Amino acid sequence: MTLAEAITKFSIEVLQLDETKNSPEMVAAITELLKISRVNQI
C-alpha cells in the first residue's frame, strides 16, 4: 500500500464518523489531506 492509498483509506474511515461529519473543520482538514495526497501522487 502506498502512502497515498493509506491516506485515502484513513480519510474515508474518518469521514464516516459522526464526530467528523458534525465538524466542518474536520471535513475541511480531511479534504486538505486528500489534496496533499493527490498532489504527491502526481
Side-chain angles (χ1 to χ4, degrees), residues 7-8 10-11 27-38:
I7 290 171
T8 301
F10 167 79
S11 299
V27 173
I30 295 296
T31 302
E32 287 302 312
L33 185 63
L34 287 168
K35 286 180 189 174
I36 292 167
S37 172
R38 179 149 169 73

Side-chain angles (χ1 to χ4, degrees), residues 13-28 30:
E13 290 173 6
V14 171
L15 284 171
Q16 291 175 347
L17 299 174
D18 285 337
E19 294 86 1
T20 304
K21 290 178 190 174
N22 295 329
S23 172
E25 295 87 5
M26 279 297 292
V27 173
I30 295 296

